[in-house]
Amino acid sequence: AHGDLVTDMLVIADLGLLVTASLDSKILVWNIATLVGWKSRDLNQELKPRRTLSGHNKGVYSLAYIPSQRYLVSAGYEQSCKVWNPMIEEPLFTMAGHQSMIAGLTVVLGSNRIVTGDVDGVCKVWDLRNFNCVQTVKDERVFD
């Protein structure tokens, strides 16, 4: 189903989904019940994802899920990250603001925020209620 290496996997238990990210720039959403019911004798049948989320132009390597809003967030080899409803194939919003490639993202548990960090040492805190950057921090010592 993916055309390149799978870089991240995420289970969204409350929706019964498995989400995979790949260097092929696609995010695939799988129905867990279908995966569990798949038998080794079905090797000649191709397992198909429930949907394909397309919106990244380069490889995707990081996924996060915010259960309170049911948002899926993805980052790849770009200067922005995408916010998705995992049931819809187009991104809801693109959070742009980094000047360099995003190196990682994480959810701040118990809040409506995520943090992204880029390869130049810039971290941004994003509010998922309005998709705005609420704080930017730069570590000048990153390459010391």
Side-chain angles (χ1 to χ4, degrees):
H2 277 295
D4 207 328
L5 295 173
V6 173
T7 54
D8 200 4
M9 296 172 52
L10 176 72
V11 172
I12 303 177
D14 61 329
L15 299 177
L17 302 173
L18 171 70
V19 182
T20 57
S22 172
L23 293 179
D24 66 6
S25 79
K26 291 186 226 163
I27 300 166
L28 299 182
V29 180
W30 307 85
N31 184 332
I32 290 175
T34 302
L35 296 174
V36 171
W38 192 71
K39 307 259 190 261
S40 60
R41 68 176 182 271
D42 299 329
L43 288 175
N44 60 347
Q45 296 177 358
E46 183 179 346
L47 192 60
K48 295 189 187 220
R50 186 171 179 179
R51 69 186 43 81
T52 300
L53 309 183
S54 299
H56 286 279
N57 296 316
K58 298 180 180 179
V60 182
Y61 62 82
S62 188
L63 299 169
Y65 181 66
I66 299 89
S68 59
Q69 285 116 339
R70 291 193 168 171
Y71 286 153
L72 174 67
V73 183
S74 61
Y77 294 97
E78 301 168 322
Q79 298 170 345
S80 62
C81 57
K82 308 273 185 202
V83 179
W84 310 82
N85 172 335
M87 307 307 265
I88 299 172
E89 295 183 352
E90 298 294 323
L92 298 173
F93 199 81
T94 299
M95 294 187 296
H98 283 280
Q99 301 302 310
S100 300
M101 182 185 84
I102 295 176
L105 75 99
T106 191
V107 175
V108 179
L109 294 176
S111 75
N112 294 307
R113 298 189 174 181
I114 65 163
V115 178
T116 56
D118 68 27
V119 296
D120 287 334
V122 175
C123 293
K124 293 186 175 286
V125 180
W126 303 87
D127 189 327
L128 292 175
R129 293 172 292 190
N130 56 21
F131 306 112
N132 287 328
C133 177
V134 295
Q135 186 173 8
T136 301
V137 178
K138 169 128 173 93
D139 188 349
E140 300 293 340
R141 301 168 299 149
V142 169
F143 298 107
D144 286 348

